[in-house]
Amino acid sequence: MTVIGIVGTPNVGKSVMFNNLTGRYATVSNYPGTTVEVSRGRTRLAGGDVEVVDTPGMYSLLPITDEERVARKMLLDREPQVVIHMVDAKNLERLLPQFLQLRELGMEVVLVLNLMDEARKLGVELDVPALRKRLGVSVVESIATSGVGVPELKEALALRLRTPGPAAAPLGYDPALEQAIHQVSVRLPMSFAGSERGVALLLLQDDAEVAERVKAATGAGWDEIRAVIAQAQQDGEPPQYRIALARQAEAQAIAQACVRVPRSRTRTFADRFAAAAIHPLTGAPMLAVILYFGLYQFVGVFGAGKVVDFLENDLFGTYVTPAFDAFLLRLLPAADGWQYWTRELFGGEFGMITLGVTYAMAIVLPIVCLFFLFFSILEDSGYFPRLALLVDALFKRIGLNGRAVIPLVLGLGCDTMATMVTRIQETKKERIITTLLLALAVPCSAQYGVITALLVRQPNGVLGMSYAWLAWASILAVMFVGVGMLASKLVKGEEASFYMELPPMRLPKLSNVVVKTAARMKWYFLEVLPLFLFASLLIWVGRLTHLFDALIAGLVPVVGALGLPSGTAPAFLYGFFRRDFGAAGLYSMADTGALSGNQLLVSCVTLTLFLPCVAQFLIMKKERGLKMALAMSGGIVVTAFAVGATVNAVLVATGISL
Amino acid sequence: MNCSYCNADFDAEAAKHACSACLISTGCKSVKCPRCGYDSPEEPQLFARLKAWWGRGAEAAAEALPRECTLSQLRPGESALITALRPGSRKDLQKLLALGVLPGSTVTLERNFPSFVFRVGFSQYATDRMLSDAVVVRRSVVAVPAPAAGEPAPLQPAAL
């Protein structure tokens, strides 16, 4: 099938355009690095079915992070007939080098000047006919978010699919480089994606991945190519630098002829707000306000407290569960034997419907939904890159850099999802440390919400936060920083320097926020609901075979060492399946007043430090390998109990009662 | 800095050569005045940072700064022409090239704490000190034409 690829730097509206072309949804965001995977969709063009492929943003065809590698791999593997190169119209000059690169690779390109509304507002004038003539490709002006330019783009694509455009006039480099390009390209095998000149240029820029591909395709001839590359690398400045300069000079020449940029710039309210967000004096209080109202009040107190209380006690507790149990009892009335056990499988205290579905729908769903809503609003506003630069210096202390805020904040929603997002990090060391911190010290929203709702009910406190909650949050913060610092010393490997583009801040768009929240919810539910049902099923099997009683009996001395009543042992056992599952168990216990403030704190701390859930372990295994996943999980379980015991010992020794 | 004995103004970095006459050459936490040889105590880092915070130290430092310096040394709000890149590693070079931070462009430093925030064209970027140190700039009001293709501006490879 005919393939059309969409490429461009992050944040230029690729995903929105993909949506316009195919009617399918790809995650749209105001944060570089949220499209970690390629989205595919279909459309009809020039009388045939066409596959459209959206890619993660990339700054250059020489990839730095894994997501950029994904985008480049699409170009080389799928060999799209036409590439839609999306650029931010106001930044055309800076983005032209990437266009030149695509053309050098022999790609058929349609250039889309997106965000024309912003460019006009800033007074940037573009001479589109002149650009078309100079670049030799179709150029389309668009405002992807409101669909302007989409018909024109479809027309341009159809034209290119029918008749190929003229080949790119090659950009000239310095004589030594030209000679090297010639020497490499004559030795390249015929059957390779991309033009020989383009591939030769990538090779000369020390591209390890393309080198692997060419090596596999050429066999014996590779040694000669390698010698040319090595020679070029030693001659004066590195080729990638010389190439970048030549491309930039060309881009400047094109821009001088076709683009008029105003001298002065007006400062909008959004600019001022963005400036305040990164000023250390105003940025830190802003962050505190966002966290307090967003996470604590909105997700914790409102979501996990009020909404869950209504759903669990009023809706499910009063109507759904009793009605369902009564229905089961009418169907299978016997008090023991198979009828009792079948009833217990679906209903009763631990049934798949009464426990599994209730937990999922009444406790986890509202909390996770509110968290993803909060996250999507922040994401769409462009706040996260600002947060990244604020914390970069602090994160360097734990072996990470500012870019780690995305997986770590997303982890407050779902650690499993966040562990997948560690792919946006550059080095192995960073990915290992982030994975460990996510699994140990970052509570996911379901768990965080339930625990907040539990602890916030304790009577003593300040600013609406109980001392028990503050103690819990402080212990987690200490563990986060402490384990992070330790890991940064112990884990071998490189750390990466921090660089990030700051997209302009904007008012979040309701449609973006809703669609993003919905997409994350869908992912979460497909992942989570089966696990809840599975856990209920396992509990049922365990009770049927009396295996659970044995396990719980084994756990009683362990929870005893933490100063907890034996009734918490089942909660810990369920905590192995999902941390929030266990936390929800504590919630039911606390409802009956079976736990003191101190006991609540100890059990919440221990449960939070646990591995989040079975799914988390599976993803850790997938991303980091079985050996590391096992080592991390073992360490985490031991740490969780050790910290719980320590907290208990300190509380006992000091005589504090929360 | 300023000698507390003879009141001479001198650059603490440049005055290090005066230390060669001294027996304790390192780790003494004092700076020898190159004019009179008096040992003044070194300015504590915290104090220097506080001064920079209020802008006084920064202004004084900026005046003493040569026209050629690194992006990280610019005053917030100051624009300069990028003249060369001095990255510590190939990866760092690649990052700067990917962002379009190249000789011939004009850069405006907007913040230098807690990270370095600067603007090139209509784009705003944030980097850490390491990457900002790698960008050599010339502080100037007149725009200098970009180097022509074929004769690249100097790259000063430190560890390439």
Side-chain angles (χ1 to χ4, degrees), chain A residues 102-113:
Chain A
L102 288 167
R103 291 292 279 160
E104 268 170 349
L105 266 176
M107 303 278 169
E108 198 72 67
V109 182
V110 172
L111 181 66
V112 176
L113 305 171

Side-chain angles (χ1 to χ4, degrees), chain A residues 1-6 14-28 39-45 49-55 84 144 150 153-154 157:
Chain A
M1 188 190 283
T2 313
V3 176
I4 291 179
I6 306 179
K14 291 182 298 296
S15 299
V16 185
M17 192 53 96
F18 171 81
N19 196 13
N20 281 333
L21 287 176
T22 63
R24 279 202 53 202
Y25 177 72
T27 317
V28 185
S39 320
R40 292 191 179 81
R42 273 173 195 208
T43 189
R44 281 190 75 79
L45 272 178
D49 267 339
V50 179
E51 185 178 355
V52 184
V53 184
D54 183 27
T55 60
I84 301 173
V150 177
L153 172 61
K154 284 190 170 170
L157 289 172

Side-chain angles (χ1 to χ4, degrees), chain A residues 38 50 69 81 87 126 146 168 177 255 277 282 285 289 343 390 421 424 562-563 573:
Chain A
V38 167
V50 179
R69 238 160 253 138
Q81 271 79 351
V87 298
L126 297 153
S146 50
L177 207 50
T282 45
V289 167
R343 229 167 47 224
L390 278 182
V421 175
I424 68 165
L562 303 182
L573 197 55

Side-chain angles (χ1 to χ4, degrees), chain A residues 187-453:
Chain A
R187 290 176 170 85
L188 284 176
M190 294 300 280
S191 62
F192 203 76
S195 78
E196 280 142 15
R197 189 179 169 83
V199 173
L201 278 163
L202 284 176
L203 285 173
L204 285 166
Q205 290 176 83
D206 207 18
D207 188 315
E209 210 178 295
V210 172
E212 277 305 311
R213 285 160 179 262
V214 174
K215 191 177 165 188
T218 43
W222 172 245
D223 286 340
E224 289 176 34
I225 297 180
R226 204 175 51 188
V228 177
I229 298 170
Q231 184 59 44
Q233 292 281 355
Q234 278 162 15
D235 282 351
E237 321 286 1
Q240 59 209 72
Y241 181 71
R242 281 143 73 188
I243 291 169
L245 276 182
R247 281 192 192 127
Q248 192 208 16
E250 173 72 6
Q252 274 178 341
I254 296 171
Q256 235 146 45
C258 311
V259 184
R260 268 233 328 266
V261 177
R263 291 206 148 263
S264 66
R265 217 172 297 139
T266 46
R267 259 166 78 91
T268 61
F269 174 73
D271 288 340
R272 282 173 212 281
F273 188 82
I278 59 173
H279 193 286
L281 286 184
T282 45
M286 254 167 88
L287 176 61
V289 167
I290 288 171
L291 289 180
Y292 178 77
F293 285 104
L295 272 188
Y296 186 79
Q297 290 293 350
F298 183 61
V299 181
V301 175
F302 172 71
K306 302 227 159 59
V307 180
V308 169
D309 190 43
F310 167 75
L311 285 175
E312 199 202 8
N313 294 333
D314 295 351
L315 192 67
F316 278 82
T318 319
Y319 301 104
V320 182
T321 311
F324 184 74
D325 276 337
F327 164 75
L328 277 180
L329 204 59
R330 237 188 3 256
L331 213 63
L332 311 157
D336 51 11
W338 69 272
Q339 290 199 346
Y340 169 79
W341 283 107
T342 314
R343 229 167 47 224
E344 285 294 290
L345 173 60
F346 297 103
E349 201 184 343
F350 299 104
M352 282 169 78
I353 303 294
T354 47
L355 180 97
V357 176
T358 305
Y359 274 6
M361 302 299 283
I363 299 181
V364 177
L365 174 77
I367 299 171
V368 174
C369 182
L370 289 184
F371 177 84
F372 282 145
L373 192 63
F374 163 71
F375 186 87
S376 301
I377 290 171
L378 276 192
E379 184 186 22
D380 204 50
S381 72
Y383 181 69
F384 283 136
R386 270 104 193 155
L387 180 58
L389 81 90
L390 278 182
V391 299
D392 176 61
L394 301 174
F395 275 21
K396 290 264 164 68
R397 300 275 171 97
I398 55 172
L400 302 174
N401 72 41
R403 289 194 160 230
V405 293
I406 278 304
L408 290 173
V409 176
L410 191 59
L412 287 170
C414 172
D415 286 308
T416 311
M417 199 185 275
T419 305
M420 280 173 62
V421 175
T422 57
R423 285 183 209 163
I424 68 165
Q425 291 177 302
E426 231 181 282
T427 66
K428 206 175 151 206
K429 175 174 181 174
E430 291 172 289
R431 283 182 227 139
I432 292 173
I433 294 176
T434 311
T435 307
L436 176 66
L437 289 177
L438 283 171
L440 180 74
V442 178
C444 64
S445 57
Q447 181 188 28
Y448 157 86
V450 173
I451 285 175
T452 299

